[in-house]
């Protein structure tokens, strides 16, 4: 069964004109400030604005007080972990439109501030039979996993993506695919990345937003 938790965040427009309604920013060329709230000893799959100042996992971790470890979800569904004292080879590159799993320590994390802006001209490409941890725009129009999966296969072609995964607070997964139980149709929470598991893959996916 899917496990759910609430992530409280502040999203505010830094660039352009914004309308903040019920936690959602309405604009097309927005800049953002997001404050994730990750409970003690929990994980959160953290989306980043597509334009941000991070180039390495170490830089992102340094900006996340209370987070003790970051994880990159690799194309073969393994993890690369970055933490203080890890081997330099584990200090992964921060890639545009990729999300990273933040693991909070015993005090939790609720003072980090993520800033950046959206790139409305950028599109996503997915290799066949791989996984990609996609960074969902903070002002996306999707509210449920089924909406995203339907649009992925609508834009990229039938069979491009086989399923979506939510990485839960207890480091388990909730899978959504055609035919899954309605209880597995997870919410597209504000600031949360989503793991895309491909079939045929495809290129040129434009993520809808306000």
């Amino acid at each position: 069964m899917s496990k759910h938790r609430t992530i409280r965040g502040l999203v505010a427009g830094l660039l352009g004109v914004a309308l903040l309604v019920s936690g959602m920013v309405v604009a097309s060329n927005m800049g953002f400030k997001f404050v994730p709230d990750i409970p003690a000893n929990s994980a959160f799959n953290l989306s980043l604005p597509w334009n941000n100042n991070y180039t390495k996992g170490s830089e992102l971790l340094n900006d996340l007080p209370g987070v003790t470890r970051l994880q990159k979800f690799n194309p073969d569904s393994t993890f690369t972990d970055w933490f203080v004292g890890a081997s330099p080879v584990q200090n992964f590159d921060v890639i545009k439109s990729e999300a990273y799993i933040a693991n909070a320590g015993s005090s939790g994390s609720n003072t980090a501030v993520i800033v950046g802006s959206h790139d409305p001209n950028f599109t996503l490409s997915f290799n066949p039979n791989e996984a990609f941890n996609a960074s969902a725009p903070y002002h996306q129009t999707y509210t449920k996993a089924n909406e995203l999966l339907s649009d992925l296969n609508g834009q990229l072609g039938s069979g491009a993506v086989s399923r979506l995964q939510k990485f839960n607070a207890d480091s388990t997964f909730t899978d959504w695919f055609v035919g899954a139980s309605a209880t597995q149709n997870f919410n597209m929470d504000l600031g949360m990345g989503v793991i895309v598991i491909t079939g045929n893959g495809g290129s040129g996916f434009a993520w809808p937003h306000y």
Side-chain angles (χ1 to χ4, degrees):
M1 179 177 290
S2 161
K3 296 189 177 181
H4 302 281
R5 67 189 178 91
T6 300
I7 300 296
R8 298 191 307 273
L10 171 66
V11 180
L14 302 177
L15 303 173
V17 178
L19 175 62
L20 183 61
V21 180
S22 300
M24 185 172 291
V25 172
V26 180
S28 62
N29 60 341
M30 292 302 304
F32 302 103
K33 179 172 71 174
F34 176 57
V35 181
D37 186 353
I38 309 174
N41 302 311
S42 294
F44 182 60
N45 193 12
L46 177 64
S47 280
L48 299 176
W50 290 0
N51 293 325
N52 61 72
N53 294 322
Y54 303 111
T55 60
K56 302 294 287 187
S58 58
E59 298 169 358
L60 178 57
L61 183 62
N62 288 342
D63 265 7
L64 297 173
V67 171
T68 58
R69 179 166 51 103
L70 286 177
Q71 293 178 297
K72 173 185 171 72
F73 195 79
N74 298 313
D76 61 355
S77 297
T78 62
F79 296 92
T80 298
D81 285 20
W82 174 253
F83 51 89
V84 175
S87 167
V89 300
Q90 296 170 234
N91 189 16
F92 52 79
D93 293 333
V94 172
I95 297 171
K96 186 170 187 172
S97 79
E98 186 172 46
Y100 302 98
I101 299 162
N103 295 268
S106 58
S107 62
S109 178
N110 58 16
T111 61
V113 178
I114 303 296
V115 297
S117 63
H118 185 65
D119 183 350
N121 299 313
F122 185 76
T123 60
L124 283 73
S125 297
F126 303 96
N127 293 326
N129 303 309
E130 287 189 351
F132 182 71
N133 191 9
S135 190
Y138 295 164
H139 58 331
Q140 67 177 328
T141 58
Y142 305 124
T143 60
K144 303 289 289 189
N146 70 311
E147 299 169 358
L148 173 57
L149 182 60
S150 177
D151 199 20
L152 280 162
N153 286 321
Q155 290 192 43
L156 302 178
S158 178
V161 174
S162 62
R163 70 185 191 276
L164 302 176
Q165 292 183 315
K166 174 181 178 178
F167 192 84
N168 298 311
D170 62 355
S171 298
T172 61
F173 295 91
T174 298
D175 282 23
W176 173 255
F177 50 90
V178 176
S181 166
T183 61
Q184 296 169 235
N185 188 19
F186 56 81
N187 295 328
M188 298 291 292
D189 295 332
L190 176 65
M192 183 189 79
V194 59
I195 299 167
V196 177
I197 308 295
T198 63
N200 299 328
S203 61
F205 178 71
W207 203 300
H209 59 79
Y210 289 96

